[in-house]
């Protein structure tokens, strides 16, 4: 049903300036996307990726004031001459904030919304088709707010598919979802692309997904489309990627550091394994233990008699649901956290990560069991008092911004506690964390990366001894992630322990000294990163996939596994025959 | 630039920005209404001691966006969130709210001429609540007047009704109007002004420095607004009702039972009317 | 109960929201739920006027019994009924107290009782009708009665957003709590605690306004990206939205039956 000219996009010299700003977000951007392509659009945070994609379905220029120039044609229709409503049957759009895209109470109403608006009397068939295409059968009557984030994203996708568009735009699917659901979404997109020939455009900064699923990559830089290239070629342009704060896949980075720069580097995992075997001269698969101080890694040294900072004793917790039954999130959980611990809580959504953090803030009290912080039970202490020692930085950084400037937000805690020299201490925090440029801005109007940094700063300014972080790197590009790391390391001398709930196993591997694998409200494994990441079966059971570098070192037979590209490179270089034998493979 | 204009609503345009503003104000006005419903309060007869509502939220938002639709979104939000969804709907009260709140708030926005003049802002917020409460008080009294047989004949009752209603008006003005209205609005309006509007792609209202409140005021406008709303709503309802009978009211069982079936409700209604009329006239005798 | 407990209770909006949401989202299967929304709305309009036509206590009591039965059949929340009963009683009492100073409280009660009954009948019928109609049904009913789609849409939208907004607001209040200090002493009747919580809940609206503003923008864009404005003037779309609404014999029986009951009550009593 999708003919060639129905599904191509042609952007010619597009320029866009939003009202109230002197700068053009896009300034002469041109790109051609062919029917049936699977394209990733990449670029820095705020580079105009989303603006470019919103021009495909006419939201730009029809829904924004400001100045526009150039021409966008979609399947032969000039978007300036068609309404957004007309274009909606040609281009489907799943927003980054997909939760706000859903407007109906139930799933069946939501997926029928589009076809009913367009007066298609086969809306039931369309809805059923779209739902079964995404394996969503059986949830038609559920309320949307009952669903998990991953399910909601698929419903948003299904609701767009019912209009049977030839082109589908999905904004940052991996940013808001955990890796399992992000992978699922990409699998569905790939199927739509292969089986129905749908043109698919995703905005994405996680290059591992790009390598695995996309055909070509469009880089948006300085308001223009810098280039469009096939995926292998694009991900090999390491210089350009880094310049735009995009982290190449771990496998590509490792390969690059092995020194074969003039060669085409691998971008996908399987391809990478073959490449490394080849380079390493596959005749001697290496099983010898890694040498060096890290080899016998253990949990941080601690005195058994020392009192734990935090102690969970057989804690169970349930949530009431509207359907009458209670949902168990934690099941007789025991946990001790000591001074010096940097704990990463990993596990799929609903495994209980956030609940553990919330129990530590005192905002929730355990249904059964006790939670002790410094030997004081949280159940008998007000959250405000617990906050003297514990700071919680929530997943959505915006909920940290309650004042009208970053400065006021930082000062708020000190002021409310009548502390002395509020102004001076606030100044200290601001200069210490390099926030001078942002201090007078409203937190909600910053970019995502700035928001994360500011929200961490607000937390750190409370001089906590325990820091709780909920998904601190969600939807961040490379530069912002590096900055988060820096902020954390500067968090101050009072900090004794940091607990982070995260999906980002790469971050967990590089940062934590202790990893807790949660599944179904139980701790399945607790140990130092190398031990945990080597236990691939436990991780798989908890629906987790270790970072590429861990999987690669396992494939190549390194024990213990390497946790960062540097580590793997230094290990492999020492194992590698000689440079000349390596060169003979070329 | 081409703009997609949404279908107008009886001549008054209602575009995408109006829809955004409408959804924004409706959600927040509904949320504050539903939230303050949950708070404990002491209700003694018509007297309500407690947090009636966070008036500053809806009034500040309406003053920022300044359209009839913005004002209408306030009662709609309260009805949808606070009443329909929570099952506390009251038909007459809802219609009263739709008319009074919309009219009072919209009138108030036309009075705000200089958004940086704090006295003016305070006065406008106070007036919005005062107009609404004042008319609500009369409607309350009117209801009792109609509903109580021979009210004047009962010694002391009319006086006590007036006393209670006036005391209620005064406490409402003090609690809702000032404590949860004027004071927080003075703090909130300047913080939002110029920051929220651009999020919806709109220019903030500049007004005119030093412009007086009276510039926006005229008795004629007040009278027109207060009269125009009921008439507009009445007319709207009548015309739309006329069309729905033609278009959609086609009971399927008519095919089954034949056109004669339509006579049954008409007949029943007639009989009921006769009986009621008979009773009423017998009473007079 | 200690001050601490009460502070926790007030702050734990969880329980209250769950309770309210049950009221809002659990209205399937009740008696009135099966009726056509237009008939139900028409019935409601009629019953807004009927009580005002009578002054006799027995007729009013009979009407009260009738609407109460309907309320029970449509499973109106007992909590809401209790609130209503309480406000009726206190209202009467306050008039009695004030009239004790200005005149004859007994006569005033006698005069006010029928009025109070009328108001109660209307309130109960409101509860019965609107707690048994799902917002979707109500929206369809209003749409077919000519209310513009933009406004019937927001009913369904509100239904979708209510729990989300509650949740988000709750999180903001919590974020504020974690960065504020509780008053050192609760004060008489713990008023300092209450004042503290009230202030927090007002302050939490500031960030909330920005969040909702951003959301509104995305929502309207997303609605249009699925053809919302097309539905405003398209007859085909309107027909689909109203599809399946039909007036069945049951609706007629209910409507006529109610009127006949009124007629019988009026003539017999």
């Amino acid at each position: 049903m999708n003919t060639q000219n129905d599904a191509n996009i042609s952007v010619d010299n597009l320029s866009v300036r939003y009202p109230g700003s002197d700068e053009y977000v896009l300034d002469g951007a041109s790109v051609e996307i062919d029917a049936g392509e699977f394209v990733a659009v990449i670029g820095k945070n705020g580079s105009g990726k989303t603006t470019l994609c919103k021009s495909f379905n006419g939201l730009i220029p029809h829904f924004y004031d400001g100045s526009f120039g150039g021409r966008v044609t979609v399947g032969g229709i000039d978007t300036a001459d068609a309404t957004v409503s007309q274009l909606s049957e040609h281009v489907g759009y799943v927003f980054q904030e997909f939760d706000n895209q859903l407007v109906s109470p139930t799933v069946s109403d939501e997926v029928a919304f589009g076809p009913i608006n367009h007066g298609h009397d086969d809306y039931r068939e369309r809805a059923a088709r779209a739902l079964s295409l995404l394996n969503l059968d059986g949830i038609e009557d559920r309320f949307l707010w009952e669903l998990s984030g991953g399910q909601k994203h698929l419903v948003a996708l299904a609701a767009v598919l019912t209009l049977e568009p030839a082109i589908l735009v999905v904004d940052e699917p991996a940013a808001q979802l955990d890796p399992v659901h992000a992978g699922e979404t990409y699998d569905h997109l790939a199927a739509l692309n292969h089986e129905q020939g749908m043109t698919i455009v995703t905005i994405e900064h996680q290059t591992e997904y790009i390598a695995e699923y996309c055909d070509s990559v469009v880089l948006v830089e300085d308001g223009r489309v810098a280039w469009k290239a096939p995926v292998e070629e694009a991900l090999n342009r390491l210089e350009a990627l880094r310049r735009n704060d995009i982290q190449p896949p771990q496998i590509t980075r490792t390969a690059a550091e092995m020194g074969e720069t003039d060669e085409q580097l691998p971008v996908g995992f399987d391809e990478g394994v073959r490449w490394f075997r080849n380079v390493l001269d596959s005749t001697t698969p290496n099983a010898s233990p890694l040498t060096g101080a890290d080899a016998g890694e253990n949990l941080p040294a601690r005195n058994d008699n020392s009192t734990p900072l935090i102690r969970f004793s057989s804690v169970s917790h349930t949530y009431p649901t509207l359907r009458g039954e209670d949902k168990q999130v934690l099941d007789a959980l025991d946990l001790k956290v000591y001074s010096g611990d940097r704990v990463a809580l990993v596990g799929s959504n609903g495994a209980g990560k956030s609940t553990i953090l919330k129990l530590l803030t005192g905002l929730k009290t355990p249904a059964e069991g006790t939670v002790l912080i410094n030997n004081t039970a949280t159940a008998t202490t007000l959250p405000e008092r617990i906050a003297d020692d514990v700071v919680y930085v929530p997943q959505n950084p915006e909920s940290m911004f309650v004042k009208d400037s970053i400065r006021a937000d930082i000062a708020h805690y000190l002021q409310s506690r009548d502390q002395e020299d509020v102004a001076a201490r606030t100044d200290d925090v601001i200069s210490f964390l390099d926030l001078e440029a942002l201090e007078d801005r409203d937190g909600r109007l910053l970019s995502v990366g700035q928001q994360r940094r500011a929200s961490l700063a607000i937390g750190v300014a409370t001089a906590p001894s325990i820091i709780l972080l909920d998904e601190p790197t969600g939807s961040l590009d490379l530069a912002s992630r590096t900055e988060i790391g820096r902020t954390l390391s500067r968090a101050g001398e009072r900090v004794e322990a940091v607990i982070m709930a995260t999906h980002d196993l790469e971050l967990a591997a590089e940062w934590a000294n202790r990893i807790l694998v949660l599944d179904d409200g139980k701790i399945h494994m607790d140990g130092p990163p190398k031990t945990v990441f080597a236990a691939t079966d436990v991780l798989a059971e908890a629906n987790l996939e270790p970072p590429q570098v861990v999987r690669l070192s396992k494939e190549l037979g390194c024990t213990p596994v390497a946790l960062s590209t540097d580590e793997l490179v230094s290990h492999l270089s020492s194992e590698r025959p000689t440079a000349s034998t390596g060169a003979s493979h070329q | 630039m081409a703009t997609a204009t949404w279908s107008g609503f009886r001549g008054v345009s209602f575009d995408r920005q109006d829809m955004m503003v409408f959804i924004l104000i409706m959600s927040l006005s509904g949320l504050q209404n539903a939230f303050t419903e949950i708070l404990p309060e002491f209700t003694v007869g018509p007297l309500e001691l407690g947090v009636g509502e966070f008036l500053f939220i809806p009034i500040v938002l309406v003053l920022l966006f300044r359209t009839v639709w913005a004002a209408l979104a306030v009662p709609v939000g309260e009805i949808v969130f606070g009443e329909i969804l929570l099952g506390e709907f009251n038909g007459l009260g809802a219609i009263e709210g739709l008319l009074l709140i919309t009219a009072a708030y919209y009138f108030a926005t036309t009075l705000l001429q200089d958004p940086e003049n704090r006295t003016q802002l305070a006065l406008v917020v106070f007036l919005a609540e005062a107009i609404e409460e004042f008319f609500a008080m009369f409607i309350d009294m009117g209801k009792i007047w109609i509903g109580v047989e021979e009210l004047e004949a009962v010694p002391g009752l009319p006086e006590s009704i007036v006393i209670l209603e006036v005391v209620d008006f005064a406490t409402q003005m003090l609690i809702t109007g000032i404590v949860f209205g004027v004071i927080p609005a003075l703090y909130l309006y300047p913080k939002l002004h110029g920051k929220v509007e651009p999020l919806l792609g709109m220019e903030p209202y500049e007004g005119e420095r030093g412009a007086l409140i009276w510039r926006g005021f005229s008795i004629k406008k007040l009278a027109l607004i207060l009269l125009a709303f009921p008439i507009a709503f009445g007319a709207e309802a009548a015309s739309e009702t006329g069309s729905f009978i033609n278009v959609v009211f086609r009971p399927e069982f008519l095919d089954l039972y034949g056109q004669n079936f339509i006579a049954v409700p008409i007949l029943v209604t007639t009989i009921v009317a006769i009986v009621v009329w008979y009773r009423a006239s017998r009473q007079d005798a | 109960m200690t001050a601490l407990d009460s502070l926790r209770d007030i702050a734990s909006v969880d329980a209250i929201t769950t309770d309210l949401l049950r009221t809002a989202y659990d209205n399937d299967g009740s008696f009135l739920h099966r009726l056509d929304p237009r008939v139900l709305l028409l019935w409601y309009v009629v019953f807004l006027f009927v009580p005002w036509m009578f002054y006799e206590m027995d007729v009013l009591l009979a009407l009260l019994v009738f609407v109460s039965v309907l309320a029970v059949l449509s499973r109106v929340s007992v909590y809401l009924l209790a609130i209503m009963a309480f406000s009726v009683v206190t209202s009467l009492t306050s008039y009695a107290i004030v009239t004790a100073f200005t005149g004859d409280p007994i006569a005033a009660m006698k005069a006010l009782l029928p009025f109070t009954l009328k108001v109660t009948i209307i309130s109960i019928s409101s509860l019965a009708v609107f707690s048994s109609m799902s917002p979707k049904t109500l929206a369809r009913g209003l749409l077919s009665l000519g209310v513009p789609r933009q406004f019937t849409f927001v009913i369904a939208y509100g239904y979708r957003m209510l729990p989300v907004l509650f949740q988000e607001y709750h999180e903001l209040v919590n974020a504020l709590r974690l960065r504020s200090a509780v008053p050192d002493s609760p004060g008489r009747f713990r008023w300092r605690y209450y004042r503290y919580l009230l202030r927090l809940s007002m302050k939490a609206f500031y960030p909330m306004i920005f969040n909702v503003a951003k959301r509104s923008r995305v929502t309207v864009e997303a609605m249009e990206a699925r053809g919302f404005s097309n539905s405003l003037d398209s007859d085909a779309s309107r027909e689909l939205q109203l599809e399946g609404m039909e007036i069945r014999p049951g609706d007629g029986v209910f409507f006529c039956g109610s009127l006949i009951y009124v007629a019988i009550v009026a003539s017999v009593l």
Side-chain angles (χ1 to χ4, degrees), chain A residues 215-231:
Chain A
D215 305 329
S216 52
V217 178
V218 169
L219 173 71
V220 182
E221 189 178 12
D222 298 330
R224 288 162 187 271
V225 173
W227 41 257
K228 180 181 173 214
V231 67

Side-chain angles (χ1 to χ4, degrees), chain B residues 67-198:
Chain B
T67 59
V68 183
W69 303 121
L72 181 64
V74 176
V76 169
E78 290 177 5
I79 292 168
V80 170
F81 283 75
E83 300 187 2
I84 292 182
L85 293 188
L86 301 183
E88 277 193 295
F89 186 76
N90 177 329
L92 285 181
I95 291 166
E96 185 187 313
L98 279 175
L99 296 179
L100 277 183
I101 297 178
T102 312
Y105 284 22
Y106 183 63
F107 179 66
T109 63
T110 66
L111 292 184
L112 186 67
Q113 294 290 317
D114 176 4
E116 287 183 10
N117 180 339
R118 317 243 332 196
T119 323
Q120 201 173 92
L121 181 64
L123 209 61
V124 164
V125 174
F126 187 82
L127 267 178
E129 173 69 1
I131 295 173
E132 187 210 327
E133 285 293 334
F134 189 72
F135 282 96
M137 179 175 77
F138 273 100
I139 290 179
D140 273 357
M141 291 190 199
K143 272 192 255 176
I144 305 183
W145 231 268
I146 297 169
V148 178
E149 208 177 7
E150 294 171 348
L151 180 75
E152 292 84 350
V154 184
L157 188 55
E159 292 88 335
S160 66
I161 290 169
V162 172
I163 291 172
L164 278 170
E165 288 293 340
V166 169
V167 171
D168 179 48
F169 176 74
T171 52
Q172 282 297 313
M173 285 315 299
L174 186 72
I175 299 179
T176 310
I178 294 182
V179 177
F180 294 104
V182 174
I183 296 172
L186 281 178
Y187 169 86
L188 186 65
Y189 183 87
K191 281 189 182 294
L192 294 179
H193 187 62
K195 269 165 88 181
V196 168
E197 301 95 325

Side-chain angles (χ1 to χ4, degrees), chain A residues 145-393:
Chain A
W145 42 263
E146 289 180 292
L147 305 182
S148 70
Q151 283 175 316
K152 276 192 273 197
H153 193 264
L154 289 179
V155 172
L157 186 56
V160 162
L161 291 179
T162 49
L163 288 176
E164 301 180 344
I167 300 165
L168 186 61
V169 183
V170 187
D171 193 347
E172 301 245 9
Q176 308 286 330
L177 302 172
D178 68 65
V180 178
H181 287 110
E184 217 171 278
T185 299
Y186 267 106
D187 286 338
H188 286 306
L189 294 179
L192 290 168
N193 180 245
H194 294 146
E195 287 157 27
Q196 315 207 359
M198 208 178 270
T199 308
I200 298 200
V201 180
T202 62
I203 299 176
E204 186 57 79
H205 64 256
Q206 296 193 21
T207 43
E208 272 95 356
Y209 292 108
I210 298 179
E212 193 169 342
Y213 294 99
C214 301
D215 305 329
S216 52
V217 178
V218 169
L219 173 71
V220 182
E221 189 178 12
D222 298 330
R224 288 162 187 271
V225 173
W227 41 257
K228 180 181 173 214
V231 67
E232 297 79 12
E233 200 184 317
L235 294 182
N236 263 285
R237 297 182 181 174
L238 303 182
E239 170 62 18
L241 295 179
R242 294 229 165 87
R243 195 173 61 234
N244 285 286
D245 294 338
I246 292 149
Q247 185 87 290
Q250 272 192 327
I251 215 134
T252 317
R253 266 144 58 202
T254 315
E257 285 174 39
M258 297 289 288
E260 325 279 330
T261 38
D262 50 339
E263 197 184 344
Q264 174 101 350
L265 301 171
V267 297
F269 185 72
D270 297 335
E271 179 198 348
V273 172
R274 281 195 300 277
W275 188 91
F276 278 99
R277 290 226 167 100
N278 209 9
V279 168
L280 289 171
D281 192 9
S282 53
T283 47
T284 52
N286 200 297
S288 67
L290 212 159
T291 47
D294 274 342
E297 195 200 34
N298 274 319
L299 282 176
R302 61 175 57 115
N303 186 339
D304 274 350
N305 298 327
S306 71
T307 21
L309 218 51
I310 293 167
R311 183 183 189 139
F312 280 65
S313 314
S314 47
V315 170
S316 296
H317 199 74
T318 53
Y319 286 110
T321 66
L322 287 187
R323 304 207 170 253
E325 71 257 28
D326 284 351
K327 187 180 182 300
Q328 178 115 20
V329 275
L330 292 182
D331 186 7
L333 185 108
D334 289 302
L335 171 64
K336 288 176 193 162
V337 176
Y338 294 87
S339 184
D341 279 4
R342 279 178 302 173
V343 185
L345 295 174
V346 301
S348 55
N349 277 347
K353 303 189 299 287
S354 293
T355 308
I356 291 185
L357 298 187
K358 292 239 169 80
L359 285 170
L360 283 170
T361 61
L363 289 171
K364 292 189 188 304
T365 50
E368 278 170 51
T370 49
V371 177
L372 299 177
I373 300 174
N374 290 324
N375 271 330
T376 316
T378 57
T380 53
T381 318
L382 283 174
E384 286 90 339
R385 304 233 193 274
I386 295 176
D388 290 339
D389 298 313
V390 180
V391 72
Y392 170 64
V393 182

Side-chain angles (χ1 to χ4, degrees), chain A residues 302-564:
Chain A
R302 61 175 57 115
N303 186 339
D304 274 350
N305 298 327
S306 71
T307 21
L309 218 51
I310 293 167
R311 183 183 189 139
F312 280 65
S313 314
S314 47
V315 170
S316 296
H317 199 74
T318 53
Y319 286 110
T321 66
L322 287 187
R323 304 207 170 253
E325 71 257 28
D326 284 351
K327 187 180 182 300
Q328 178 115 20
V329 275
L330 292 182
D331 186 7
L333 185 108
D334 289 302
L335 171 64
K336 288 176 193 162
V337 176
Y338 294 87
S339 184
D341 279 4
R342 279 178 302 173
V343 185
L345 295 174
V346 301
S348 55
N349 277 347
K353 303 189 299 287
S354 293
T355 308
I356 291 185
L357 298 187
K358 292 239 169 80
L359 285 170
L360 283 170
T361 61
L363 289 171
K364 292 189 188 304
T365 50
E368 278 170 51
T370 49
V371 177
L372 299 177
I373 300 174
N374 290 324
N375 271 330
T376 316
T378 57
T380 53
T381 318
L382 283 174
E384 286 90 339
R385 304 233 193 274
I386 295 176
D388 290 339
D389 298 313
V390 180
V391 72
Y392 170 64
V393 182
Q395 182 170 9
N396 176 5
E398 291 196 6
S399 49
M400 286 295 265
F401 307 129
V402 293
K403 295 290 198 173
D404 60 350
S405 72
I406 294 299
R407 191 187 173 80
D409 265 317
I410 292 175
H412 178 79
Y413 175 89
L414 302 170
Q415 270 161 358
S416 70
R417 266 147 230 259
D418 289 327
Q419 301 201 351
E420 288 165 22
D421 310 328
V422 173
R425 290 185 54 185
T426 310
D427 282 339
D428 282 352
V429 174
I430 288 172
S431 66
F432 182 56
L433 294 172
D434 298 329
L435 287 165
E436 286 94 342
L438 306 179
E439 62 169 319
D440 293 322
R441 304 210 21 214
D442 191 301
R444 273 164 293 275
L445 309 180
L446 302 177
S447 74
V448 199
Q450 292 169 327
Q451 283 187 343
R452 288 277 175 200
R453 193 149 63 94
S455 72
L456 267 179
I458 295 166
V460 167
T462 65
S465 60
I466 298 170
I467 301 184
L468 310 173
L469 302 168
D470 203 347
E471 294 295 347
T473 56
S475 85
L476 285 192
D477 62 23
L478 171 64
S480 320
R481 282 189 51 180
T482 321
E483 259 185 297
I484 300 298
R486 265 193 14 229
T487 310
L488 272 179
S489 62
R490 289 173 163 202
E493 66 276 14
R494 258 201 81 201
V495 178
E496 295 185 60
V498 183
I499 304 180
M500 176 194 289
T502 187
H503 292 309
D504 187 342
L505 297 191
E506 205 178 316
L507 175 79
E510 287 172 11
W511 166 86
N513 60 16
R514 181 177 172 193
I515 294 194
L516 288 176
V517 181
L518 283 172
D519 193 26
D520 283 335
K522 289 196 178 96
I523 295 176
H524 279 232
M525 199 166 183
D526 178 1
K530 294 202 180 210
T531 321
V532 172
F533 282 123
T536 32
D537 47 334
V538 177
L539 293 176
E541 214 174 285
N543 263 329
L544 295 168
E545 189 171 66
Q548 279 191 341
V549 62
V550 173
R551 286 187 285 148
L552 181 61
S553 46
K554 240 185 132 76
E555 288 284 341
L556 300 177
C558 311
T559 37
V561 294
L563 294 181
S564 66

